Amino acid sequence: MKKRTMILSMFFSIMFCTTVFAQDLIYTVRPGDTLWKIAVANETGVSELIAKNPQLSNPNLIYPGNKINVPNINDIKASETEVVRLVNIQRTSRGLKPLSNNWELERIARYKSQDMANKKYFSHTSPTYGSPFTMMQNFGVKFSAAGENIAMGQKTPAEVVNAWMNSPGHRANILGTSYTQIGVGLAKNNNGVCYWTQMFIRP
């Protein structure tokens, strides 16, 4: 069994997030569709689709022509994607390979950020999901090495990446040679404070 490398780091400050959340998208079911196929195509989870579609009495039975509400997280994803881009600039400028974005890991990171925002804590250990490594495993992500950075309060991708790069522990994760994939999750609380999570893995 491969030795698993696990690295954690945190960063905390108070600022207000400017992310705007858009209205849900409407998807029309086509022949052969399942909620799983729709979820994968939209880089979201089946549980998110079920939560957005209480009109489905049986989520296993959908029919062509049915209208499915799909979470519209394009604004959030734009910020998350920008964090990945900035991270890879930091890496490639130092001769390191860029990290590939893993949307399933991104989804897990978003859940972690939302959990911190909802339950008013700031920690690698979630009262809901446990450690980040347990969380990844329970969501079905396998890894031989893994790490997590979290931050709170930075308003923009540039601010949070700069903050992480100015912290030795976070910087070590961002520039780590043990990782090949990344997922970034953004959420905000009712006061508009941003919570950021970066998860890193090597499958």
Side-chain angles (χ1 to χ4, degrees):
M1 183 176 178
K2 294 182 179 178
K3 181 180 178 182
R4 292 185 174 179
T5 304
M6 301 181 179
I7 302 174
L8 303 173
S9 207
M10 297 191 296
F11 190 91
F12 172 79
S13 68
I14 292 291
M15 301 172 105
F16 295 99
C17 186
T18 55
T19 303
V20 175
F21 298 90
Q23 287 187 323
D24 293 339
L25 303 172
I26 305 297
Y27 177 83
T28 302
V29 176
R30 300 171 184 172
D33 275 343
T34 62
L35 279 190
W36 170 249
K37 287 183 179 179
I38 296 169
V40 171
N42 289 277
E43 297 187 355
T44 189
V46 171
S47 59
E48 286 94 317
L49 292 183
I50 291 173
K52 287 287 184 180
N53 292 277
Q55 78 279 9
L56 298 177
S57 57
N58 184 347
N60 293 318
L61 296 176
I62 58 174
Y63 302 97
N66 285 165
K67 303 296 183 183
I68 303 295
N69 298 312
V70 177
N72 183 355
I73 54 172
N74 290 338
D75 293 324
I76 297 172
K77 285 181 71 70
S79 293
E80 295 166 345
T81 300
E82 178 65 3
V83 170
V84 175
R85 188 185 75 84
L86 293 172
V87 162
N88 281 331
I89 288 174
Q90 295 291 342
R91 290 178 63 86
T92 56
S93 68
R94 292 166 174 81
L96 300 170
K97 292 183 178 179
L99 300 173
S100 62
N101 188 62
N102 180 324
W103 75 262
E104 292 175 298
L105 196 63
E106 176 184 273
R107 176 176 173 247
I108 299 168
R110 196 179 300 126
Y111 263 86
K112 175 62 178 288
S113 292
Q114 192 64 61
D115 191 56
M116 289 192 291
N118 290 348
K119 297 195 172 177
K120 301 178 175 63
Y121 72 94
F122 185 69
S123 171
H124 290 293
T125 302
S126 162
T128 308
Y129 304 109
S131 76
F133 316 112
T134 298
M135 185 178 184
M136 292 178 202
Q137 291 169 332
N138 287 343
F139 273 81
V141 170
K142 297 179 180 179
F143 56 86
S144 58
E148 179 182 81
N149 285 344
I150 58 176
M152 174 184 170
Q154 295 79 12
K155 294 184 290 185
T156 67
E159 285 180 3
V160 75
V161 172
N162 286 339
W164 279 328
M165 287 300 294
N166 286 321
S167 167
H170 299 90
R171 180 186 176 96
N173 272 340
I174 287 172
L175 302 180
T177 57
S178 298
Y179 310 128
T180 58
Q181 298 179 10
I182 186 174
V184 176
L186 167 63
K188 66 176 181 177
N189 66 15
N190 291 334
N191 295 321
V193 177
C194 282
Y195 289 76
W196 303 86
T197 303
Q198 284 182 320
M199 289 182 168
F200 306 87
I201 63 166
R202 178 188 291 274

